[in-house]
Amino acid sequence: MPFLATNSFRTPTKTLNKSLEHNFVELLEEHQNIVHKVCRLYTNDQASHKDLFQEITIQLWKAYPKFRGDSKFSTWMYRVALNTAITLYRKSTRKIKTQEFDTVQFKIKTEEYDQTEEVQLKLMYQAIHELNDIEKALVLLYLEDKNYSEISDTLGISEVNARVKMNRVKKKLKTILNP
Amino acid sequence: MDELELLKKDWKANEEYPKVSYDEIYSMILKRSSSIVKWIFIISLLEFIFWSVIAVFLKDTENMKRFEELDTNAIMIPLAVLGYAILVYFFYLFFRNYKRISATDNAKVLMENILKTRKTVKHYVAFNLIYLVVSVIVVLCIEFKMDQQLISQVNQAAANGEAFKLYAGIIIATLLILVAVIGVLLLFYWLVYGILLKRLNKNYKELKHLNI
């Protein structure tokens, strides 16, 4: 009987989807800081941060069935999140001074640093926001202690080129502080 | 301390991001994406529809009906069949490329696949514009040869010694209309895709440049 046949097929699929959704949401909830970090570098205000966070979540969910577990979930997340930020996301036109955002949303813990360090950090974050999308990706992967093989794999450039470009970006940031 | 080390230390110390709850994430995955891939997909489908509608619409006009009364099937049927075959071919290419787009590829491959999908549609549009120009030329030739109404007009003009004027008038008018239509379409594509792909193109160039 076709009716029964369809029904008996539908239920397990639904349950499977439910558990897939549940697994995914749990994993993302646990690793959400990765998404926040990408948003922090690529957006300038809270509304855009939220917007990009949502788009990355959607892209992660869409790609999740392809996640085979042969790489770490977090590694896989960096890739999809960066791809969304660099390629897929349609940037909103809102623009707020980058300096304001970093100090408002991510309060720099003043007690840990002296005055000069605080100023340096402010300048650094400001400088990072002025970098282009690819350079930002390199900075993020550097800050996250990713090795060159992972960086080359994420961006699709050779390891040597990743190294060369990374050195250039580091130099660029340093010159901003010590002109 | 080295500035970059200081930055790294601060970056790792500052992990106080606004926490997004389980339910919020759950509701996010039910929302629709607004990625450029989706927009390219929608605009591409609209283009396929646009050109199909144009074809149907042109078929129903008065002039076309008059044209069809002329015995032109030998030319027009193969042209139409060719048009449909090419539409199907482009549609197949478009979907194949679209299916290949995956956010889990590396950034460069992802960008290449998006640009490939876009290129398919670009070729389809170019094909349509060429098809349009060729069709207009073919129709014009047939009209001059077979349309009795036009032939009598030409004869009349020839009697007054104005045959050249008539030919030139028709050809120039047709050319102007063609140029205007193609111009508007190209401007539209340039604007839509220019805005949509500006960032992707810029980032792709940067990555490509890095690999040289």
Side-chain angles (χ1 to χ4, degrees):
Chain A
M1 279 193 290
F3 173 71
L4 272 182
T6 341
N7 241 5
S8 61
F9 268 113
R10 199 171 280 166
T11 327
T13 323
K14 252 190 167 171
T15 332
L16 194 73
N17 270 342
K18 275 270 171 256
S19 73
L20 197 72
E21 277 170 15
H22 173 72
N23 285 344
F24 171 78
V25 176
E26 257 192 348
L27 272 170
L28 182 54
E29 194 190 6
E30 189 190 329
H31 292 94
Q32 61 175 279
N33 272 1
I34 294 174
V35 184
H36 282 302
K37 283 170 183 170
V38 173
C39 295
R40 180 178 177 185
L41 285 195
Y42 284 93
T43 62
N44 294 331
D45 60 276
Q46 284 191 46
S48 308
H49 183 115
K50 234 175 139 182
D51 213 37
L52 180 56
F53 189 99
Q54 175 165 320
E55 188 59 41
I56 292 175
T57 303
I58 294 171
Q59 294 299 334
L60 282 166
W61 169 237
K62 269 170 63 184
Y64 187 57
K66 283 187 203 148
F67 173 63
R68 305 236 175 273
D70 43 6
S71 61
K72 265 189 355 201
F73 186 71
S74 56
T75 311
W76 178 81
M77 270 182 79
Y78 275 109
R79 179 182 278 233
V80 177
L82 273 176
N83 269 337
T84 309
I86 295 173
T87 308
L88 303 170
Y89 180 58
R90 284 172 56 248
K91 219 177 210 170
S92 67
T93 43
R94 283 184 291 255
K95 265 206 166 173
I96 287 178
K97 278 197 171 173
T98 55
Q99 198 182 354
E100 284 170 31
F101 181 56
D102 250 313
T103 41
V104 171
Q105 200 184 350
F106 309 102
K107 283 176 202 134
I108 293 165
K109 292 174 183 165
T110 35
E111 68 273 19
E112 285 179 25
Y113 306 109
D114 59 37
Q115 275 301 103
T116 41
E117 282 188 342
E118 196 192 327
V119 174
Q120 275 188 326
L121 279 171
K122 249 188 189 177
L123 281 171
M124 287 274 232
Y125 282 117
Q126 215 177 322
I128 291 170
H129 273 278
E130 314 261 305
L131 295 174
N132 71 38
D133 289 345
I134 306 296
E135 290 169 335
K136 278 180 190 166
L138 283 163
V139 170
L140 175 81
L141 295 167
Y142 164 76
L143 291 176
E144 292 296 305
D145 283 328
K146 301 290 171 200
N147 60 37
Y148 284 109
S149 121
E150 211 171 296
I151 295 172
S152 106
D153 207 34
T154 306
L155 295 178
I157 55 177
S158 75
E159 265 186 66
V160 179
N161 290 329
R163 206 182 287 268
V164 171
K165 184 67 185 174
M166 181 73 91
N167 285 335
R168 259 185 237 156
V169 174
K170 281 185 192 169
K171 221 174 170 183
K172 201 169 169 179
L173 285 178
K174 279 189 177 177
T175 13
I176 291 166
L177 291 180
N178 312 302
Chain B
M1 194 197 291
D2 175 66
E3 298 95 330
L4 288 166
E5 288 305 315
L6 174 73
L7 179 73
K8 203 183 252 187
K9 192 182 152 204
D10 178 76
W11 178 260
K12 287 188 172 158
N14 267 313
E15 292 216 333
E16 291 163 17
Y17 298 101
K19 180 131 175 72
V20 183
S21 71
Y22 182 98
D23 290 340
E24 278 172 306
I25 294 175
Y26 192 87
S27 73
M28 278 181 192
I29 66 173
L30 301 175
K31 288 196 177 132
R32 282 164 192 265
S33 153
S34 63
S35 76
I36 61 159
V37 173
K38 203 181 149 186
W39 282 104
I40 290 177
F41 183 75
I42 291 171
I43 294 170
S44 301
L45 281 189
L46 287 177
E47 279 174 43
F48 281 117
I49 293 168
F50 171 78
W51 286 104
S52 307
V53 166
I54 288 272
V56 172
F57 178 73
L58 279 179
K59 242 185 160 32
D60 274 348
T61 55
E62 276 291 303
N63 281 340
M64 213 49 197
K65 275 184 186 149
R66 196 156 60 91
F67 182 76
E68 272 171 7
E69 281 165 16
L70 306 171
D71 190 21
T72 56
N73 282 351
I75 300 171
M76 295 319 276
I77 289 179
L79 260 184
V81 170
L82 184 73
Y84 285 120
I86 289 173
L87 170 72
V88 170
Y89 173 68
F90 273 112
F91 222 67
Y92 160 75
L93 274 188
F94 172 70
F95 272 99
R96 199 190 61 180
N97 289 338
Y98 179 73
K99 284 268 165 213
R100 275 192 195 154
I101 295 173
S102 159
T104 47
D105 277 326
N106 73 46
K108 192 160 166 277
V109 170
L110 172 66
M111 290 179 195
E112 273 163 0
N113 285 340
I114 294 174
L115 291 174
K116 247 187 229 162
T117 308
R118 151 87 188 105
K119 216 179 212 168
T120 310
V121 183
K122 204 179 189 174
H123 289 160
Y124 179 66
V125 168
F127 158 76
N128 269 304
L129 293 178
I130 293 166
Y131 190 79
L132 182 74
V133 172
V134 171
S135 302
V136 166
I137 292 169
V138 170
V139 166
L140 215 58
C141 290
I142 294 173
E143 285 278 328
F144 277 130
K145 273 206 167 151
M146 297 171 83
D147 189 343
Q148 290 310 321
Q149 203 181 320
L150 189 67
I151 289 170
S152 68
Q153 268 182 3
V154 170
N155 287 341
Q156 208 182 339
N160 299 336
E162 287 175 339
F164 175 74
K165 211 168 140 191
L166 183 73
Y167 277 121
I170 292 174
I171 290 169
I172 289 172
T174 312
L175 269 180
L176 282 180
I177 293 171
L178 270 184
V179 167
V181 169
I182 292 173
V184 168
L185 285 174
L186 288 181
L187 182 73
F188 177 75
Y189 291 131
W190 182 71
L191 276 177
V192 169
Y193 286 110
I195 294 167
L196 207 57
L197 293 175
K198 191 177 157 207
R199 208 156 67 94
L200 192 151
N201 276 325
K202 200 178 122 205
N203 289 337
Y204 182 63
K205 255 187 215 157
E206 170 87 13
L207 275 183
K208 241 178 114 180
H209 177 72
L210 281 183
N211 266 346
I212 292 169

